[in-house]
Amino acid sequence: MPSEPTSAALPPNPPSLPWRTAFRIGGRELRASRTKFLFVVLAVAVGTAALTGVRGFSSSFRHMLLRQARTLMAGDLSARIFGLPAPEQQSVLDRLTGRGVARTRITETLTMAASQSAADPVLISIKAVDPLAYPFYGEVRLDPAYPLREALTAQTVAVSSDLLLRLNAKVGESLRIGGQEFRIAAVVTSEPDRMTGTLNVGPRVLMTREGLDRTGLITLGSRASERFLFKLPASGSPGVAEVRAILKKTFPEATLADYTETHPIITRGLDRSTTFLSLIGLIALVIGAMGVASAMHGHLQQRMDSIAVMKCVGARSGQVIRIYVAQTLLLGLGGGLLGVVLGTAISSVFPSLLARYLPLPVASGIALWPAAQGVAIACLVTLLFTVPPLLGIRSIRPAQILRRDMEVEAAGRRRGWLSPEARPALLAGCAILVGTGIIAATLTDGGIRQALRTGFYFTLGLAGGVAALAACAWMLLRAVRLISRYAGHRLPGAFRHGIANLYRPGNQAPAAVVALGIGVMFTLTVFLVESALLKQMRASAPPGAPNVFLLDVPAADREAITDLIGKHEGVASSPEITGAVAARITAVNGVPIGRLPLREWGRRFLRTRSVTTLNEKPPEMEILGGAWWKPGERAALVCVNEETAHILNLKAGSLVDWNIWNRNLRTRVACVERAESLRMSGRFEFLFNPGPLDGFPAIYYGTVRVSPAAVASLQRVLYERFPTVTVVNMADVMQTVEEVVDRIALVVRFISAFTILAGAVMLASSIAGTRFRRIREVVILKTLGATRRRIAGIFSVEFLVLGAVAGVMGSLLASGFAAMILKFLMQIEFRFDPVSSGVAIIVAAALAAAAGWAACFPVLGRKPLEILREE
């Protein structure tokens, strides 16, 4: 037997084995098996790269937000509300001005615009500012390069470049907004606070407050976003904390932000996306760790003689385990460091994916904390998953030096799961689940409760998912074996031999199928959900459902607009026009709204909401609890939609207190309803019975069903007669929504693809772990007369079957997960996509073949005599 370098490094009966010696011995073995462990390092690097890339970009983006906080909000503080301040709120703002706090107001709203070069008007997003004060920080860049205060007047506007394309206009030409003519003075190339704005639908138009007043778009009750920017004195008081406290008390429903923090809306979205993508990266890293465990298992099987020799000369199991723990840590460290380099390159790709939404450059380079976190997690996850094979060292006895590894493996298979020998492996499995759960919790951006919840669900999902995937892999591989057994005589010899190779001793086919199947499942699930969502949005609305929305309908023009639309060609029925009143909830069942445990999207009820009056129950509305009011009911009643009732814990009989235009009103919940959201009545969270809202200022909205060919002409006719009415064609909104969905899905697919890559590398690692057995097989086959082409065919069948099984499993599970997500979360009908599933199976098979051949191609070149001499 060849001499083992590891045995010479251990003196007889050593009192202890220093970690330095263990690392030296482990490193020596790694250098002797470079090819085998190259794929292991790559598998770990792929997962670490995905994890580090996401968190590195998130960290850089967060630092950019903090560095550029004043620029991003164009002030020291910002307060965003919907509606104008009440008199007492205005007096507080005036007192702050008296103390040296400068302020300016920004109004954002939607309307229509037209030019002489284009017949049809388009939907635009207006941003009205005071160019003498705005922005306090940063700069609005224009082309031609005028200062904003010179470019904007009451008769001029600055527009985004896409508006010029939509209206076939040029700088210097006229634009008609609200029936008034404005000259296009410049093109807006950059706005400092674009990310913190609202109502960013359609092309952008910057104008002065005087210009907005000239259009007549803003009337009492108009739905517009008001954002106040504040600039504090350079020194002295009031400070940020004091002004923020005053504003929070004065505007309880406002969204506040200051330059000492990142913007709350942006930060919440960043936290959620970072956590989600980090967990996908962790799954890719887990797949890589599975590859390490598979390779280490095969490596220990080959080194069993050496381990027995070390024990014969006095080494204890703990000392031998220390050597291979050192090897594992070196593998994890090498993969982690390589992953950090790849992750840095990945993080530099994200700004280009999100360039349209990032007004400022994000710093590139290695983010130290995410890099250190990625390396540490790579080492820890790798070590966790190699615990089971490392514990197997304890069962190796010196007498086994005379036995072959196949006998040991067969004996190991005969042990039951509940036998004393299997208990360490079970405990190791529990340690893996708990450890990965803790790591998932540390990757959660949020509070302790959210982190623990994420870790718990990730652990459950990992355990259940791997068990289900392993069961599917076993069944599919078993089916392949049965087909080969009962129909093998009809199959080519290469095919039979390739399938038999899936069950060779030491082959980790089930683990490889699970790893690659996870990648296929994740990536295909994202694609199927995105495709179904976009198809649903592009599909025509249900019969009779509206596809055109009317905003800011003046009360005096309701009847004239109704008559005009009713007579227009292509209109299916008279428009539904509903008045909306701005109202704010003050208490629910006697509990102030500020004391309710509102989280996430539920915090919208702290702000002013739009409510409306409805006399008769719409036919499509379903009453879930309580009853609709009777005609002539005098009590103040409301009907609440299902989601709102759940968030506020409302039911029939609950009391809701309101403040409507500085007047208090108490209402009782009459019913809880569910309605089709495409109808106007379904877009309101609270429906009042006739009477309580009478006399309050209202702004009117409308919906109508129009044939697609007649929408453009209807927009043109309405704009000519009523230029302040905004006509929203759902096709325009859909374009923006689809762009956002495409970008989000692109980022998720980009990270999910790393799970496929990790699975492919793990497969290569598994194949590299059986390299010694494959060399012996090639030698035997060549000795018996097999050609290199025939051997290549056998291996190709093995790899293609592995990949095809993983593709079938991943595509079936992806269809199942996509169906559940669409049905239960989005209420969208799922339809099986055979083309996507077929492509996924083909891609998985091709990847498996490529990964397999990358790992074992040198084996084909080994000559029989060369190997026989070594024997």
Side-chain angles (χ1 to χ4, degrees):
M1 183 183 68
S3 61
E4 298 291 344
T6 53
S7 61
L10 290 172
N13 300 319
S16 63
L17 183 68
W19 278 106
R20 181 176 180 181
T21 304
F23 275 102
R24 189 176 73 248
I25 298 173
R28 190 181 304 165
E29 282 197 4
L30 290 179
R31 288 195 299 272
S33 306
R34 291 187 183 94
T35 303
K36 179 197 308 180
F37 290 111
L38 171 64
F39 294 100
V40 171
V41 172
L42 288 177
V44 176
V46 168
T48 308
L51 187 63
T52 306
V54 169
R55 302 194 73 79
F57 171 77
S58 175
S59 176
S60 300
F61 188 59
R62 201 181 303 273
H63 289 158
M64 183 274 290
L65 291 177
L66 287 173
R67 288 194 311 269
Q68 305 288 342
R70 280 189 170 105
T71 302
L72 284 173
M73 66 180 64
D76 292 318
L77 290 98
S78 72
R80 191 182 67 192
I81 60 176
F82 288 92
L84 295 176
E88 60 272 17
Q89 294 173 326
Q90 187 64 45
S91 64
V92 172
L93 295 177
D94 294 338
R95 285 197 296 270
L96 286 175
T97 302
R99 298 179 61 185
V101 178
R103 79 170 185 274
T104 186
R105 179 161 63 99
I106 299 172
T107 302
E108 293 173 298
T109 188
L110 301 176
T111 189
M112 309 297 292
S115 71
Q116 295 178 352
S117 304
D120 298 326
V122 299
L123 181 70
I124 62 171
S125 172
I126 285 183
K127 180 177 180 180
V129 301
D130 178 3
L132 298 179
Y134 168 85
F136 288 131
Y137 300 98
E139 179 186 2
V140 177
R141 294 188 175 91
L142 304 175
D143 183 21
Y146 293 115
L148 188 64
R149 61 183 60 195
E150 295 180 11
L152 293 188
T153 67
Q155 287 76 35
T156 61
V157 295
V159 303
S160 58
S161 57
D162 54 344
L163 181 62
L164 298 183
L165 295 175
R166 295 281 297 274
L167 292 179
N168 192 25
K170 299 178 181 179
V171 174
E173 295 182 352
S174 294
L175 192 67
R176 192 153 57 97
I177 304 173
Q180 302 296 320
E181 297 290 334
F182 292 85
R183 183 176 60 84
I184 301 175
V187 175
V188 180
T189 60
S190 175
E191 294 174 68
D193 58 338
R194 178 66 187 267
M195 290 181 64
T196 57
T198 56
L199 303 177
N200 294 327
V201 178
R204 192 78 155 170
V205 173
L206 272 181
M207 63 171 48
T208 63
R209 301 207 58 81
E210 293 79 11
L212 181 63
D213 294 339
R214 192 161 68 90
T215 63
L217 294 173
I218 305 300
T219 58
L220 193 61
S222 293
R223 186 64 173 172
S225 169
E226 301 289 349
R227 183 154 47 95
F228 291 91
L229 301 180
F230 300 89
K231 183 177 182 181
L232 304 184
S235 60
S237 62
V240 173
E242 181 182 355
V243 175
R244 187 185 178 100
I246 294 172
L247 293 175
K248 185 175 182 180
K249 183 178 180 181
T250 307
F251 299 94
E253 76 280 7
T255 300
L256 300 176
D258 64 70
Y259 75 90
T260 63
E261 63 172 4
T262 56
H263 195 277
I265 295 177
I266 300 174
T267 303
R268 281 197 297 271
L270 182 63
D271 288 344
R272 293 171 186 168
S273 58
T274 300
T275 298
F276 176 69
L277 296 176
S278 295
L279 293 179
I280 295 178
L282 178 58
I283 291 172
L285 183 55
V286 165
I287 294 173
M290 291 169 58
V292 177
S294 174
M296 188 60 69
H297 174 79
H299 180 62
L300 291 176
Q301 291 294 315
Q302 294 180 25
R303 308 300 296 177
M304 193 174 294
D305 290 348
S306 300
I307 294 171
V309 169
M310 285 190 282
K311 288 191 173 184
C312 283
V313 298
R316 295 187 293 273
S317 294
Q319 295 170 325
V320 179
I321 289 176
R322 180 172 290 195
I323 293 174
Y324 291 100
V325 167
Q327 273 191 10
T328 301
L329 291 176
L330 287 173
L331 291 172
L333 181 62
L337 293 175
L338 179 59
V340 167
V341 176
L342 296 175
T344 302
I346 292 171
S347 64
S348 64
V349 172
F350 277 102
S352 63
L353 297 177
L354 305 173
R356 179 174 177 179
Y357 308 101
L358 298 180
L360 298 172
V362 179
S364 58
I366 296 179
L368 295 181
W369 170 243
Q373 188 182 33
V375 173
I377 291 176
C379 293
L380 180 57
V381 172
T382 303
L383 184 60
L384 280 173
F385 275 82
T386 51
V387 167
L390 292 178
L391 289 178
I393 294 174
R394 298 167 63 250
S395 63
I396 297 176
R397 302 289 182 261
Q400 291 174 341
I401 193 173
L402 301 177
R403 301 178 184 175
R404 291 296 179 187
D405 50 357
M406 291 174 60
E407 297 176 3
V408 176
E409 189 172 340
R413 288 198 298 266
R414 288 193 293 269
R415 298 189 186 108
W417 284 101
L418 299 179
S419 64
E421 294 84 356
R423 289 173 186 169
L426 291 175
L427 293 176
C430 294
I432 289 173
L433 291 176
V434 173
T436 51
I438 293 173
I439 293 172
T442 62
L443 296 177
T444 303
D445 293 287
I448 296 296
R449 179 179 299 179
Q450 181 67 24
L452 294 176
R453 181 185 303 172
T454 301
F456 175 73
Y457 283 119
F458 186 85
T459 301
L460 283 182
L462 180 64
V466 171
L469 288 165
C472 291
W474 181 86
M475 287 189 292
L476 288 172
L477 290 174
R478 184 72 176 172
V480 170
R481 189 175 189 180
L482 290 175
I483 292 173
S484 175
R485 177 180 298 177
Y486 292 105
H489 61 284
R490 302 176 184 175
L491 300 174
F495 195 89
R496 294 198 307 271
H497 200 155
I499 292 178
N501 276 357
L502 298 176
Y503 299 93
R504 67 167 69 244
N507 198 358
Q508 301 292 316
V513 169
V514 168
L516 187 56
I518 289 175
V520 174
M521 180 189 69
F522 263 99
T523 309
L524 186 58
T525 299
V526 173
F527 175 79
L528 292 176
V529 171
E530 180 206 7
S531 299
L533 182 60
L534 291 179
K535 285 180 182 177
Q536 174 72 10
M537 290 190 297
R538 293 188 189 112
S540 59
N547 59 351
V548 173
F549 288 78
L550 309 176
L551 309 180
D552 299 331
V553 177
D557 297 330
R558 281 182 296 164
E559 294 184 3
I561 291 175
T562 301
D563 293 339
L564 177 62
I565 295 176
K567 297 176 182 177
H568 193 78
E569 184 179 357
V571 176
S573 60
S574 298
E576 176 187 356
I577 297 182
T578 305
V581 175
R584 183 168 60 88
I585 300 175
T586 57
V588 175
N589 290 322
V591 180
I593 187 70
R595 296 183 183 178
L596 294 182
L598 300 176
R599 299 184 181 91
E600 307 297 337
W601 184 233
R603 295 185 61 83
R604 69 185 186 273
F605 293 107
L606 297 174
R607 301 190 291 270
T608 301
R609 315 303 300 162
S610 291
V611 298
T612 189
T613 295
L614 204 59
N615 187 12
E616 297 180 357
K617 184 182 80 68
E620 73 277 0
M621 181 179 291
E622 178 184 359
I623 301 298
L624 305 178
W628 192 261
W629 41 78
K630 298 178 181 179
E633 182 72 47
R634 293 186 178 182
L637 303 176
V638 293
C639 198
V640 187
N641 69 18
E642 183 181 16
E643 180 191 12
T644 301
H646 176 73
I647 294 174
L648 298 179
N649 194 23
L650 296 175
K651 56 185 178 180
S654 298
L655 299 178
V656 182
D657 293 335
W658 302 84
N659 182 275
I660 307 176
W661 291 90
N662 297 322
R663 200 178 102 191
N664 295 324
L665 175 66
R666 168 165 290 187
T667 61
R668 179 172 57 85
V669 176
C671 58
V672 176
E673 52 86 8
R674 179 191 297 157
E676 182 184 324
S677 60
L678 287 175
R679 306 287 182 178
M680 181 56 70
S681 57
R683 306 187 68 83
F684 289 93
E685 297 156 328
F686 295 91
L687 302 173
F688 281 65
N689 66 318
L693 299 183
D694 292 348
F696 288 112
I699 192 71
Y700 289 85
Y701 302 90
T703 58
V704 63
R705 176 72 178 181
V706 184
S707 63
V711 172
S713 60
L714 177 63
Q715 285 181 308
R716 190 183 317 119
V717 170
L718 278 173
Y719 185 74
E720 291 173 355
R721 288 277 306 275
F722 306 99
T724 61
V725 175
T726 302
V727 182
V728 181
N729 182 2
M730 289 305 296
D732 295 334
V733 178
M734 279 299 307
Q735 182 179 358
T736 303
V737 173
E738 287 184 17
E739 289 179 0
V740 173
V741 171
D742 281 339
R743 290 302 175 101
I744 293 173
L746 177 62
V747 173
V748 176
R749 287 202 304 269
F750 180 71
I751 296 300
S752 297
F754 277 81
T755 58
I756 289 185
L757 183 58
V761 178
M762 188 270 181
L763 175 62
S765 172
S766 174
I767 293 170
T770 60
R771 181 171 175 269
F772 181 71
R773 290 189 176 94
R774 291 182 185 276
I775 290 175
R776 294 173 60 90
E777 179 184 353
V778 168
V779 167
I780 293 173
L781 290 174
K782 284 186 175 181
T783 303
L784 295 176
T787 62
R788 179 180 295 190
R789 181 177 179 180
R790 185 173 182 84
I791 298 172
I794 292 172
F795 284 173
S796 296
V797 168
E798 177 186 355
F799 303 149
L800 289 172
V801 170
L802 271 176
V805 169
V808 170
M809 180 183 68
S811 60
L812 290 176
L813 291 175
S815 297
F817 281 123
M820 287 190 295
I821 292 172
L822 293 170
K823 181 177 180 180
F824 295 108
L825 296 182
M826 301 181 181
Q827 286 78 47
I828 297 176
E829 181 183 357
F830 172 77
R831 293 183 179 178
F832 179 71
D833 187 352
V835 176
S836 300
S837 298
V839 171
I841 295 171
I842 294 174
V843 170
L847 275 176
W853 277 115
C856 74
F857 182 77
V859 172
L860 281 181
R862 302 299 294 270
K863 299 184 180 300
L865 187 60
E866 175 187 349
I867 304 302
L868 293 174
R869 283 175 176 172
E870 293 180 1
E871 294 289 328

